[in-house]
Amino acid sequence: MLGFLIQRLLQAVAVMVVISALVFVGVFAIGNPIDVLIAPDATQDIRLDTIRRYGFDQPLWKQYLNFVTSLVQGDFGRSFVFNMPVLQLILSRLPATLELTLVAVIGATIIGVPLGMYAGYRPNAVASRAIMGASVLGFSLPTFWIGILFIMGFAVELGWLPAGGRGDTVEAWGIQWSVLTLNGWSHLVLPALTLSLFRMALMIRMARAGMREAMLSDYVRFARAQGISDGKVIFGHVLKNISIPLVTVFGLELAATMAFAVVTETIFSWPGLGKLIIDSIQSLDRPVMVAYLMLVAFLFIMINFSVDIAYAALDPRVRSGRT
Amino acid sequence: MRRDASPFIRFWIEFAENRLALAALGVVILVVGAAILAPLFTPQDPYDIGKLVLGDARRPPGHVGSGGYVHLLGTDAQGRDLWSAILYGLRISIQIGITAGAVAFIVGGSLGTIAAFAGGRTEALIMRFIDLQLSFPAILLALVISAILGQGKWQLTIALVASQYAYFARTAHGAAVAERAKEYIEAALSTPLSSRVVVFRHILPNCMPPLIVVATVQIANAISLEATLSFLGLGLPVTHPSLGTLISNGFQYMLSGRYWISIYPGIALIVLILAVNLVGDQIRDQLNPRLQR
């Protein structure tokens, strides 16, 4: 087990190094940041001085090395636009995104799993067909379009909920939270629902497929033959068995949802990380882009790593097997 | 059903049994046809900036503009007739979706099959890379690539291919590994056929069913992704609006009640995506051996 752990850890580190190089070179190719940093009427001296100060005169590999060295020391550089340390900037935006993502994914699970289980339990009922039809919609509609429809319906026509922003926040543990105020929730509902519809459809599909398969299996048949009520069979036995893939998806989707928040945050002007990255792509704010992409890559690798380890702990075949 | 009917006819008969899927196929054909023949049905060429009149901008549906014809769905912020802009936008969206899907199909399909056939180090290297890419959300990858490449049709297509080929590669690899272990491949390999012939003439055709399923899903995804990127301002320029660009342009006017600039292109977009997905669903069900009746 230890050998497997070390092997996987080394792999994760190698992947991180490759991604950092790709991200750095990729972002390097976007536009010339000098134009953002210096006013067009600046003198040649100021221009050269700035170029030297940011190290743009050095060859690419040397810039990358400098970048990695300071990265290891926990220094992500300074944002060109906000003129503050990138790490601080990202950390100040992170809670908003985290809040939105968590509410969306947890909501999708709480609503999606029971619906999917019902659709699998009674596959031919009218309600089940309606649920599955709705899940096709959830899969097909682009996120930004759902957001626009919600704004159009609930904010413009009905005027029930605000169209954007984060609303009142309350400070807890030194961080501002919207989930703790009523006004904050009214701002949160639409973006969270927009973001969660795709995951909800996914949860419905998975729960339905698991349920259908489980209801035909021997252990359910025997449990029923013993005279145990369907409710007890489902919540006592089936739920446990179908929850393994659901938990995996929950973990993986958490990271994917954070990435998808880019679109939702842009539509609802939610001041999170996604809005930050779109703004920084448009303003060529290189350090912010690099740091954001590295952060997302790191998150993904950590989650995949944890999933691998969890599987290895649960399934001895993975440990000794082909990997 | 007649037993002697060819596989394609049998496939079609089974497909036609699902009314919803049949209707969806009809919608797809109708929309694609309307997009191809767009110049015949539209009163205005939305890309000809010389013909746009700013006095006609943001007029509601039914407005009779300076051109003397009725703007059925209203006009957008540049004074474009929305009905014309939508049909031309559909053209771009479908074109990009199909091109991206086809290129991703070829690149990913070959990569996956070659990896499965090569085995050993090559396979491990290719599939590790693909797994890595699949763990990364497609939208983010497409976002970064189109930010690097800039606006434009080809740049967008490259971004879409780069973020989608991995799905094809994974699917082709899985199918090809299963095929490779079968006896007819062993038999083919024992003849003096070159391995290239074996891969492309024997293994690849048998990997087609799952790849076709992925392709229908990915074409719908490509169209949706293109619209999303254009909406975020990273896709196509305002002078050649795709559906996503049209929706994006209209979004800022929605809060002031000018709903039509965003809503009508959006409806066209979801009708197209939904119909393609429904057709894909039915094809998947028919090609899934576990659901065979």
Short mmCIF file of all heavy atoms in Angstrom, two decimals, chain A residues 8 11 15 26 29-30 137 140-142 144-145 148 151-152 156 205 259-260 262-263 266-267 278 281-282 292-293 296-297 300 304, chain B residues 128 132 135-137 139-140 144 147-148 224 227-228 231-232 234 247 251 254-255 259 262-263 266-267 269-270 273-274 277 284:
data_model
loop_
_atom_site.label_atom_id
_atom_site.label_comp_id
_atom_site.label_asym_id
_atom_site.label_seq_id
_atom_site.Cartn_x
_atom_site.Cartn_y
_atom_site.Cartn_z
N ARG A 8 1.88 6.84 -6.73
CA ARG A 8 0.83 7.76 -7.16
C ARG A 8 1.18 9.22 -6.85
O ARG A 8 0.90 10.13 -7.61
CB ARG A 8 -0.50 7.40 -6.48
CG ARG A 8 -1.24 6.34 -7.24
CD ARG A 8 -1.58 6.90 -8.60
NE ARG A 8 -1.61 5.87 -9.63
CZ ARG A 8 -2.72 5.32 -10.08
NH1 ARG A 8 -3.86 5.66 -9.60
NH2 ARG A 8 -2.66 4.43 -11.03
N GLN A 11 3.64 10.43 -9.37
CA GLN A 11 2.92 10.70 -10.61
C GLN A 11 2.21 12.04 -10.55
O GLN A 11 2.29 12.84 -11.49
CB GLN A 11 1.87 9.61 -10.84
CG GLN A 11 2.33 8.55 -11.83
CD GLN A 11 1.26 7.49 -12.01
OE1 GLN A 11 0.10 7.70 -11.69
NE2 GLN A 11 1.67 6.35 -12.52
N VAL A 15 2.82 15.24 -12.98
CA VAL A 15 1.74 15.84 -13.75
C VAL A 15 1.65 17.34 -13.47
O VAL A 15 1.49 18.17 -14.37
CB VAL A 15 0.41 15.15 -13.42
CG1 VAL A 15 -0.76 15.96 -13.93
CG2 VAL A 15 0.38 13.76 -14.02
N GLY A 26 1.44 28.50 -22.45
CA GLY A 26 0.17 28.87 -23.06
C GLY A 26 -0.20 30.31 -22.75
O GLY A 26 -0.51 31.09 -23.65
N ALA A 29 1.69 33.00 -24.44
CA ALA A 29 1.37 33.27 -25.84
C ALA A 29 0.24 34.29 -26.00
O ALA A 29 0.01 34.79 -27.09
CB ALA A 29 0.98 31.96 -26.54
N ILE A 30 -0.47 34.60 -24.90
CA ILE A 30 -1.59 35.53 -25.03
C ILE A 30 -1.10 36.96 -24.92
O ILE A 30 -0.69 37.40 -23.86
CB ILE A 30 -2.64 35.32 -23.91
CG1 ILE A 30 -3.02 33.85 -23.82
CG2 ILE A 30 -3.85 36.17 -24.16
CD1 ILE A 30 -3.98 33.57 -22.71
N LEU A 137 -33.58 17.54 -20.50
CA LEU A 137 -33.48 18.99 -20.61
C LEU A 137 -32.27 19.51 -19.84
O LEU A 137 -31.51 20.34 -20.33
CB LEU A 137 -34.74 19.65 -20.05
CG LEU A 137 -35.92 19.77 -20.98
CD1 LEU A 137 -37.05 20.50 -20.27
CD2 LEU A 137 -35.52 20.54 -22.23
N SER A 140 -29.21 18.90 -21.81
CA SER A 140 -29.06 19.53 -23.12
C SER A 140 -28.90 21.04 -23.06
O SER A 140 -28.16 21.61 -23.85
CB SER A 140 -30.28 19.21 -23.99
OG SER A 140 -30.50 17.84 -24.01
N LEU A 141 -29.63 21.69 -22.16
CA LEU A 141 -29.61 23.14 -22.18
C LEU A 141 -28.26 23.67 -21.74
O LEU A 141 -27.76 23.27 -20.69
CB LEU A 141 -30.71 23.68 -21.25
CG LEU A 141 -32.13 23.30 -21.60
CD1 LEU A 141 -33.10 24.02 -20.68
CD2 LEU A 141 -32.44 23.66 -23.03
N PRO A 142 -27.68 24.57 -22.50
CA PRO A 142 -26.42 25.16 -22.07
C PRO A 142 -26.64 25.98 -20.80
O PRO A 142 -27.67 26.63 -20.65
CB PRO A 142 -26.04 26.09 -23.22
CG PRO A 142 -26.90 25.71 -24.36
CD PRO A 142 -28.12 25.06 -23.80
N PHE A 144 -25.48 28.73 -19.68
CA PHE A 144 -25.71 30.17 -19.76
C PHE A 144 -27.13 30.48 -20.19
O PHE A 144 -27.71 31.49 -19.79
CB PHE A 144 -24.67 30.82 -20.70
CG PHE A 144 -24.91 30.63 -22.15
CD1 PHE A 144 -25.61 31.57 -22.88
CD2 PHE A 144 -24.42 29.51 -22.82
CE1 PHE A 144 -25.83 31.41 -24.23
CE2 PHE A 144 -24.64 29.34 -24.17
CZ PHE A 144 -25.34 30.29 -24.88
N TRP A 145 -27.70 29.57 -20.97
CA TRP A 145 -29.07 29.79 -21.43
C TRP A 145 -30.07 29.61 -20.29
O TRP A 145 -31.03 30.36 -20.15
CB TRP A 145 -29.36 28.84 -22.59
CG TRP A 145 -30.73 28.96 -23.12
CD1 TRP A 145 -31.68 28.01 -23.15
CD2 TRP A 145 -31.32 30.14 -23.68
NE1 TRP A 145 -32.83 28.52 -23.69
CE2 TRP A 145 -32.63 29.82 -24.02
CE3 TRP A 145 -30.85 31.44 -23.90
CZ2 TRP A 145 -33.49 30.75 -24.59
CZ3 TRP A 145 -31.71 32.36 -24.47
CH2 TRP A 145 -33.01 32.00 -24.81
N ILE A 148 -29.97 32.73 -18.28
CA ILE A 148 -30.68 33.84 -18.92
C ILE A 148 -32.18 33.68 -18.72
O ILE A 148 -32.88 34.64 -18.39
CB ILE A 148 -30.34 33.89 -20.42
CG1 ILE A 148 -28.91 34.38 -20.60
CG2 ILE A 148 -31.30 34.78 -21.17
CD1 ILE A 148 -28.47 34.44 -22.03
N ILE A 151 -33.10 34.63 -15.17
CA ILE A 151 -33.08 36.09 -14.97
C ILE A 151 -34.31 36.71 -15.61
O ILE A 151 -35.01 37.54 -15.02
CB ILE A 151 -31.79 36.69 -15.57
CG1 ILE A 151 -30.59 36.29 -14.73
CG2 ILE A 151 -31.90 38.20 -15.67
CD1 ILE A 151 -29.30 36.88 -15.20
N MET A 152 -34.57 36.26 -16.83
CA MET A 152 -35.72 36.76 -17.57
C MET A 152 -37.02 36.51 -16.80
O MET A 152 -37.84 37.40 -16.62
CB MET A 152 -35.72 35.99 -18.89
CG MET A 152 -36.94 36.15 -19.69
SD MET A 152 -36.70 37.46 -20.84
CE MET A 152 -38.38 37.62 -21.34
N VAL A 156 -36.69 39.68 -14.14
CA VAL A 156 -37.26 40.76 -14.96
C VAL A 156 -38.78 40.72 -14.94
O VAL A 156 -39.44 41.70 -14.58
CB VAL A 156 -36.74 40.68 -16.41
CG1 VAL A 156 -37.36 41.79 -17.25
CG2 VAL A 156 -35.23 40.79 -16.44
N ARG A 205 -29.82 10.38 -13.43
CA ARG A 205 -29.47 9.26 -14.32
C ARG A 205 -28.76 8.15 -13.56
O ARG A 205 -29.07 6.98 -13.71
CB ARG A 205 -28.54 9.75 -15.42
CG ARG A 205 -29.19 10.68 -16.38
CD ARG A 205 -29.59 9.90 -17.60
NE ARG A 205 -30.43 10.70 -18.45
CZ ARG A 205 -30.31 10.73 -19.76
NH1 ARG A 205 -29.41 10.01 -20.35
NH2 ARG A 205 -31.12 11.47 -20.47
N ALA A 259 -15.22 24.66 -11.93
CA ALA A 259 -14.76 25.16 -13.23
C ALA A 259 -15.92 25.74 -14.02
O ALA A 259 -15.81 26.77 -14.67
CB ALA A 259 -14.10 24.03 -14.02
N PHE A 260 -17.08 25.08 -13.93
CA PHE A 260 -18.24 25.52 -14.68
C PHE A 260 -18.81 26.81 -14.12
O PHE A 260 -19.53 27.54 -14.80
CB PHE A 260 -19.33 24.44 -14.67
CG PHE A 260 -19.54 23.86 -16.01
CD1 PHE A 260 -18.89 22.70 -16.39
CD2 PHE A 260 -20.37 24.49 -16.92
CE1 PHE A 260 -19.07 22.18 -17.63
CE2 PHE A 260 -20.54 23.98 -18.17
CZ PHE A 260 -19.90 22.82 -18.53
N VAL A 262 -17.52 29.40 -13.88
CA VAL A 262 -17.07 30.52 -14.72
C VAL A 262 -18.26 31.15 -15.45
O VAL A 262 -18.45 32.36 -15.43
CB VAL A 262 -16.04 30.01 -15.76
CG1 VAL A 262 -15.75 31.08 -16.79
CG2 VAL A 262 -14.78 29.57 -15.08
N VAL A 263 -19.07 30.28 -16.09
CA VAL A 263 -20.19 30.77 -16.89
C VAL A 263 -21.26 31.39 -16.00
O VAL A 263 -21.72 32.51 -16.22
CB VAL A 263 -20.79 29.61 -17.71
CG1 VAL A 263 -21.93 30.10 -18.54
CG2 VAL A 263 -19.72 28.98 -18.57
N THR A 266 -20.37 34.70 -14.49
CA THR A 266 -20.38 35.81 -15.44
C THR A 266 -21.79 36.32 -15.65
O THR A 266 -22.03 37.53 -15.68
CB THR A 266 -19.80 35.35 -16.79
OG1 THR A 266 -18.57 34.70 -16.54
CG2 THR A 266 -19.58 36.52 -17.72
N ILE A 267 -22.76 35.39 -15.77
CA ILE A 267 -24.14 35.80 -16.03
C ILE A 267 -24.72 36.55 -14.85
O ILE A 267 -25.35 37.59 -15.00
CB ILE A 267 -25.02 34.57 -16.33
CG1 ILE A 267 -24.51 33.87 -17.58
CG2 ILE A 267 -26.46 34.97 -16.50
CD1 ILE A 267 -25.14 32.53 -17.77
N ILE A 278 -12.36 35.32 -16.11
CA ILE A 278 -12.83 35.90 -17.37
C ILE A 278 -12.34 37.35 -17.51
O ILE A 278 -11.83 37.76 -18.55
CB ILE A 278 -14.38 35.86 -17.44
CG1 ILE A 278 -14.87 34.43 -17.59
CG2 ILE A 278 -14.89 36.68 -18.60
CD1 ILE A 278 -14.58 33.81 -18.93
N ILE A 281 -8.66 37.30 -18.31
CA ILE A 281 -8.35 36.92 -19.70
C ILE A 281 -8.55 38.14 -20.59
O ILE A 281 -7.73 38.43 -21.46
CB ILE A 281 -9.26 35.75 -20.17
CG1 ILE A 281 -8.80 34.44 -19.57
CG2 ILE A 281 -9.23 35.64 -21.70
CD1 ILE A 281 -9.65 33.25 -19.95
N GLN A 282 -9.63 38.88 -20.32
CA GLN A 282 -9.90 40.03 -21.17
C GLN A 282 -8.92 41.18 -20.95
O GLN A 282 -8.63 41.94 -21.86
CB GLN A 282 -11.35 40.50 -20.97
CG GLN A 282 -12.26 39.85 -22.01
CD GLN A 282 -13.66 39.60 -21.51
OE1 GLN A 282 -14.04 40.10 -20.46
NE2 GLN A 282 -14.43 38.84 -22.25
N TYR A 292 -4.72 30.96 -11.29
CA TYR A 292 -6.03 30.31 -11.28
C TYR A 292 -5.95 28.93 -11.90
O TYR A 292 -6.45 27.94 -11.34
CB TYR A 292 -7.03 31.17 -12.06
CG TYR A 292 -8.38 30.51 -12.24
CD1 TYR A 292 -9.34 30.55 -11.25
CD2 TYR A 292 -8.68 29.82 -13.41
CE1 TYR A 292 -10.56 29.94 -11.42
CE2 TYR A 292 -9.89 29.21 -13.60
CZ TYR A 292 -10.84 29.27 -12.59
OH TYR A 292 -12.04 28.65 -12.76
N LEU A 293 -5.31 28.85 -13.08
CA LEU A 293 -5.22 27.55 -13.76
C LEU A 293 -4.43 26.55 -12.93
O LEU A 293 -4.79 25.37 -12.83
CB LEU A 293 -4.58 27.72 -15.13
CG LEU A 293 -5.46 28.49 -16.12
CD1 LEU A 293 -4.72 28.78 -17.39
CD2 LEU A 293 -6.72 27.68 -16.42
N VAL A 296 -6.72 25.31 -10.15
CA VAL A 296 -7.71 24.35 -10.61
C VAL A 296 -7.04 23.00 -10.89
O VAL A 296 -7.54 21.95 -10.49
CB VAL A 296 -8.45 24.86 -11.86
CG1 VAL A 296 -9.34 23.79 -12.44
CG2 VAL A 296 -9.26 26.09 -11.51
N ALA A 297 -5.88 23.05 -11.57
CA ALA A 297 -5.17 21.80 -11.87
C ALA A 297 -4.81 21.08 -10.58
O ALA A 297 -5.00 19.86 -10.45
CB ALA A 297 -3.91 22.11 -12.68
N PHE A 300 -7.86 19.40 -9.13
CA PHE A 300 -8.23 18.21 -9.87
C PHE A 300 -7.30 17.05 -9.55
O PHE A 300 -7.75 15.92 -9.35
CB PHE A 300 -8.26 18.48 -11.37
CG PHE A 300 -9.58 18.94 -11.83
CD1 PHE A 300 -9.92 20.27 -11.71
CD2 PHE A 300 -10.48 18.05 -12.34
CE1 PHE A 300 -11.16 20.70 -12.11
CE2 PHE A 300 -11.72 18.48 -12.73
CZ PHE A 300 -12.06 19.80 -12.61
N ASN A 304 -8.39 13.53 -7.90
CA ASN A 304 -8.13 12.24 -8.55
C ASN A 304 -7.25 11.36 -7.68
O ASN A 304 -7.47 10.15 -7.57
CB ASN A 304 -7.45 12.47 -9.90
CG ASN A 304 -8.45 12.87 -10.96
OD1 ASN A 304 -9.63 12.59 -10.80
ND2 ASN A 304 -7.99 13.52 -11.98
N ARG B 128 -2.46 7.60 -20.60
CA ARG B 128 -2.24 8.39 -19.39
C ARG B 128 -2.54 9.86 -19.67
O ARG B 128 -3.20 10.55 -18.91
CB ARG B 128 -0.80 8.24 -18.90
CG ARG B 128 -0.63 7.24 -17.79
CD ARG B 128 -1.13 7.83 -16.49
NE ARG B 128 -1.32 6.82 -15.49
CZ ARG B 128 -2.24 6.90 -14.52
NH1 ARG B 128 -3.07 7.92 -14.47
NH2 ARG B 128 -2.33 5.98 -13.61
N LEU B 132 -5.55 12.12 -18.18
CA LEU B 132 -5.24 13.38 -17.52
C LEU B 132 -6.11 14.49 -18.08
O LEU B 132 -6.70 15.28 -17.35
CB LEU B 132 -3.76 13.70 -17.75
CG LEU B 132 -3.28 15.03 -17.19
CD1 LEU B 132 -3.23 14.93 -15.69
CD2 LEU B 132 -1.93 15.40 -17.74
N SER B 135 -9.71 14.35 -17.02
CA SER B 135 -10.00 14.75 -15.65
C SER B 135 -10.13 16.26 -15.55
O SER B 135 -10.56 16.79 -14.54
CB SER B 135 -8.92 14.24 -14.70
OG SER B 135 -7.74 14.97 -14.89
N PHE B 136 -9.75 16.94 -16.61
CA PHE B 136 -9.82 18.40 -16.63
C PHE B 136 -11.10 18.81 -17.35
O PHE B 136 -11.43 18.24 -18.38
CB PHE B 136 -8.61 18.92 -17.40
CG PHE B 136 -8.03 20.16 -16.83
CD1 PHE B 136 -7.42 20.14 -15.60
CD2 PHE B 136 -8.09 21.36 -17.54
CE1 PHE B 136 -6.88 21.29 -15.07
CE2 PHE B 136 -7.56 22.51 -17.00
CZ PHE B 136 -6.95 22.48 -15.78
N PRO B 137 -11.87 19.76 -16.82
CA PRO B 137 -13.15 20.08 -17.48
C PRO B 137 -12.95 20.69 -18.86
O PRO B 137 -12.11 21.57 -19.06
CB PRO B 137 -13.78 21.09 -16.54
CG PRO B 137 -12.71 21.56 -15.65
CD PRO B 137 -11.64 20.55 -15.63
N ILE B 139 -14.70 22.66 -20.63
CA ILE B 139 -15.00 24.08 -20.82
C ILE B 139 -13.78 24.95 -20.51
O ILE B 139 -13.48 25.91 -21.20
CB ILE B 139 -16.20 24.50 -19.94
CG1 ILE B 139 -16.45 26.01 -20.00
CG2 ILE B 139 -15.99 24.19 -18.50
CD1 ILE B 139 -17.70 26.38 -20.67
N LEU B 140 -13.03 24.55 -19.48
CA LEU B 140 -11.89 25.36 -19.05
C LEU B 140 -10.78 25.30 -20.10
O LEU B 140 -10.15 26.30 -20.43
CB LEU B 140 -11.37 24.84 -17.72
CG LEU B 140 -10.91 25.90 -16.75
CD1 LEU B 140 -12.03 26.86 -16.45
CD2 LEU B 140 -10.39 25.28 -15.49
N VAL B 144 -9.29 28.43 -22.23
CA VAL B 144 -7.90 28.85 -22.25
C VAL B 144 -7.37 28.86 -23.68
O VAL B 144 -6.73 29.83 -24.11
CB VAL B 144 -7.05 27.91 -21.37
CG1 VAL B 144 -5.58 28.26 -21.52
CG2 VAL B 144 -7.47 28.03 -19.93
N ALA B 147 -8.71 31.66 -25.61
CA ALA B 147 -8.10 32.91 -25.16
C ALA B 147 -6.72 33.09 -25.79
O ALA B 147 -6.33 34.19 -26.17
CB ALA B 147 -8.00 32.93 -23.63
N ILE B 148 -5.98 31.97 -25.91
CA ILE B 148 -4.65 32.02 -26.49
C ILE B 148 -4.72 32.31 -27.99
O ILE B 148 -3.99 33.15 -28.51
CB ILE B 148 -3.90 30.69 -26.25
CG1 ILE B 148 -3.60 30.53 -24.76
CG2 ILE B 148 -2.60 30.65 -27.07
CD1 ILE B 148 -3.06 29.17 -24.40
N SER B 224 -23.03 23.53 -28.25
CA SER B 224 -23.31 24.19 -26.98
C SER B 224 -22.09 24.92 -26.44
O SER B 224 -22.15 26.05 -25.95
CB SER B 224 -23.80 23.13 -25.99
OG SER B 224 -23.73 23.58 -24.69
N ALA B 227 -21.40 28.07 -28.38
CA ALA B 227 -22.30 29.15 -27.96
C ALA B 227 -21.84 29.74 -26.63
O ALA B 227 -21.85 30.96 -26.43
CB ALA B 227 -23.72 28.63 -27.85
N THR B 228 -21.41 28.84 -25.71
CA THR B 228 -20.97 29.30 -24.41
C THR B 228 -19.74 30.21 -24.54
O THR B 228 -19.67 31.28 -23.94
CB THR B 228 -20.64 28.10 -23.50
OG1 THR B 228 -21.77 27.25 -23.46
CG2 THR B 228 -20.28 28.56 -22.11
N PHE B 231 -20.65 33.41 -25.98
CA PHE B 231 -21.36 34.20 -24.98
C PHE B 231 -20.38 34.88 -24.04
O PHE B 231 -20.57 36.02 -23.63
CB PHE B 231 -22.31 33.29 -24.18
CG PHE B 231 -23.06 34.03 -23.11
CD1 PHE B 231 -24.15 34.81 -23.44
CD2 PHE B 231 -22.67 33.97 -21.79
CE1 PHE B 231 -24.84 35.51 -22.47
CE2 PHE B 231 -23.35 34.66 -20.81
CZ PHE B 231 -24.44 35.44 -21.16
N LEU B 232 -19.31 34.18 -23.69
CA LEU B 232 -18.31 34.76 -22.79
C LEU B 232 -17.41 35.76 -23.50
O LEU B 232 -16.52 36.34 -22.89
CB LEU B 232 -17.46 33.65 -22.16
CG LEU B 232 -18.19 32.71 -21.21
CD1 LEU B 232 -17.28 31.59 -20.76
CD2 LEU B 232 -18.70 33.48 -19.99
N LEU B 234 -15.39 35.02 -26.09
CA LEU B 234 -14.14 34.43 -26.57
C LEU B 234 -14.32 33.69 -27.89
O LEU B 234 -13.39 33.10 -28.40
CB LEU B 234 -13.60 33.44 -25.52
CG LEU B 234 -13.18 34.07 -24.22
CD1 LEU B 234 -13.01 33.03 -23.15
CD2 LEU B 234 -11.90 34.85 -24.40
N ILE B 247 -26.93 35.91 -28.62
CA ILE B 247 -27.51 35.86 -27.28
C ILE B 247 -26.74 36.80 -26.36
O ILE B 247 -27.31 37.56 -25.57
CB ILE B 247 -27.47 34.42 -26.73
CG1 ILE B 247 -28.32 33.50 -27.59
CG2 ILE B 247 -27.93 34.38 -25.29
CD1 ILE B 247 -28.14 32.04 -27.29
N PHE B 251 -28.08 40.09 -24.27
CA PHE B 251 -28.19 39.92 -22.82
C PHE B 251 -28.23 41.26 -22.08
O PHE B 251 -29.01 41.46 -21.16
CB PHE B 251 -27.03 39.06 -22.33
CG PHE B 251 -27.07 38.75 -20.86
CD1 PHE B 251 -28.20 38.19 -20.30
CD2 PHE B 251 -25.99 39.02 -20.04
CE1 PHE B 251 -28.26 37.89 -18.96
CE2 PHE B 251 -26.04 38.72 -18.70
CZ PHE B 251 -27.17 38.15 -18.16
N MET B 254 -31.61 42.87 -21.93
CA MET B 254 -32.73 42.12 -21.40
C MET B 254 -33.33 42.76 -20.17
O MET B 254 -34.55 42.75 -19.98
CB MET B 254 -32.30 40.70 -21.08
CG MET B 254 -33.42 39.74 -21.28
SD MET B 254 -32.81 38.11 -21.34
CE MET B 254 -32.31 37.96 -19.66
N LEU B 255 -32.47 43.33 -19.33
CA LEU B 255 -32.98 43.93 -18.09
C LEU B 255 -33.86 45.13 -18.40
O LEU B 255 -34.65 45.55 -17.57
CB LEU B 255 -31.82 44.33 -17.18
CG LEU B 255 -31.04 43.15 -16.61
CD1 LEU B 255 -29.90 43.62 -15.74
CD2 LEU B 255 -31.95 42.21 -15.82
N TYR B 259 -36.47 41.65 -24.66
CA TYR B 259 -36.17 40.23 -24.51
C TYR B 259 -35.79 39.55 -25.82
O TYR B 259 -35.01 38.62 -25.85
CB TYR B 259 -37.39 39.51 -23.91
CG TYR B 259 -38.57 39.56 -24.82
CD1 TYR B 259 -38.78 38.53 -25.74
CD2 TYR B 259 -39.48 40.61 -24.80
CE1 TYR B 259 -39.84 38.57 -26.61
CE2 TYR B 259 -40.54 40.66 -25.67
CZ TYR B 259 -40.72 39.64 -26.57
OH TYR B 259 -41.76 39.68 -27.45
N SER B 262 -32.13 38.30 -27.21
CA SER B 262 -31.52 37.09 -26.66
C SER B 262 -32.38 35.86 -26.84
O SER B 262 -31.87 34.77 -27.12
CB SER B 262 -31.27 37.27 -25.15
OG SER B 262 -30.00 37.79 -24.93
N ILE B 263 -33.68 36.03 -26.64
CA ILE B 263 -34.55 34.86 -26.49
C ILE B 263 -34.68 34.06 -27.79
O ILE B 263 -34.56 32.84 -27.79
CB ILE B 263 -35.95 35.29 -25.99
CG1 ILE B 263 -35.84 35.82 -24.56
CG2 ILE B 263 -36.93 34.14 -26.05
CD1 ILE B 263 -35.42 34.82 -23.53
N GLY B 266 -31.70 32.06 -28.69
CA GLY B 266 -31.60 31.01 -27.68
C GLY B 266 -32.54 29.86 -27.97
O GLY B 266 -32.17 28.69 -27.83
N ILE B 267 -33.76 30.19 -28.39
CA ILE B 267 -34.72 29.12 -28.71
C ILE B 267 -34.21 28.29 -29.87
O ILE B 267 -34.23 27.05 -29.83
CB ILE B 267 -36.10 29.73 -29.03
CG1 ILE B 267 -36.71 30.31 -27.75
CG2 ILE B 267 -37.04 28.67 -29.60
CD1 ILE B 267 -38.00 31.07 -27.95
N LEU B 269 -31.17 27.79 -30.68
CA LEU B 269 -30.05 27.00 -30.18
C LEU B 269 -30.53 25.76 -29.44
O LEU B 269 -30.07 24.64 -29.69
CB LEU B 269 -29.18 27.86 -29.25
CG LEU B 269 -27.99 27.18 -28.62
CD1 LEU B 269 -26.92 26.95 -29.67
CD2 LEU B 269 -27.42 28.01 -27.49
N ILE B 270 -31.49 25.94 -28.49
CA ILE B 270 -31.89 24.78 -27.70
C ILE B 270 -32.69 23.78 -28.52
O ILE B 270 -32.59 22.59 -28.30
CB ILE B 270 -32.65 25.14 -26.40
CG1 ILE B 270 -33.88 25.96 -26.71
CG2 ILE B 270 -31.75 25.84 -25.43
CD1 ILE B 270 -34.78 26.08 -25.52
N ILE B 273 -29.98 21.74 -30.23
CA ILE B 273 -29.24 20.87 -29.32
C ILE B 273 -30.12 19.73 -28.81
O ILE B 273 -29.72 18.57 -28.77
CB ILE B 273 -28.67 21.68 -28.14
CG1 ILE B 273 -27.60 22.64 -28.63
CG2 ILE B 273 -28.09 20.76 -27.08
CD1 ILE B 273 -27.08 23.55 -27.57
N LEU B 274 -31.35 20.09 -28.44
CA LEU B 274 -32.27 19.09 -27.90
C LEU B 274 -32.57 18.01 -28.94
O LEU B 274 -32.54 16.82 -28.63
CB LEU B 274 -33.57 19.79 -27.48
CG LEU B 274 -34.32 19.20 -26.31
CD1 LEU B 274 -33.43 19.14 -25.10
CD2 LEU B 274 -35.56 20.02 -26.01
N ASN B 277 -29.64 15.74 -29.43
CA ASN B 277 -29.49 14.85 -28.28
C ASN B 277 -30.52 13.72 -28.29
O ASN B 277 -30.21 12.58 -27.94
CB ASN B 277 -29.63 15.64 -26.97
CG ASN B 277 -28.28 16.13 -26.49
OD1 ASN B 277 -27.24 15.56 -26.81
ND2 ASN B 277 -28.28 17.20 -25.73
N ARG B 284 -28.06 5.52 -29.32
CA ARG B 284 -27.33 4.85 -28.24
C ARG B 284 -28.10 3.64 -27.73
O ARG B 284 -27.55 2.56 -27.56
CB ARG B 284 -27.06 5.82 -27.09
CG ARG B 284 -26.18 5.18 -26.02
CD ARG B 284 -26.03 6.06 -24.82
NE ARG B 284 -27.33 6.43 -24.29
CZ ARG B 284 -27.58 7.58 -23.72
NH1 ARG B 284 -26.66 8.49 -23.65
NH2 ARG B 284 -28.78 7.85 -23.24
#
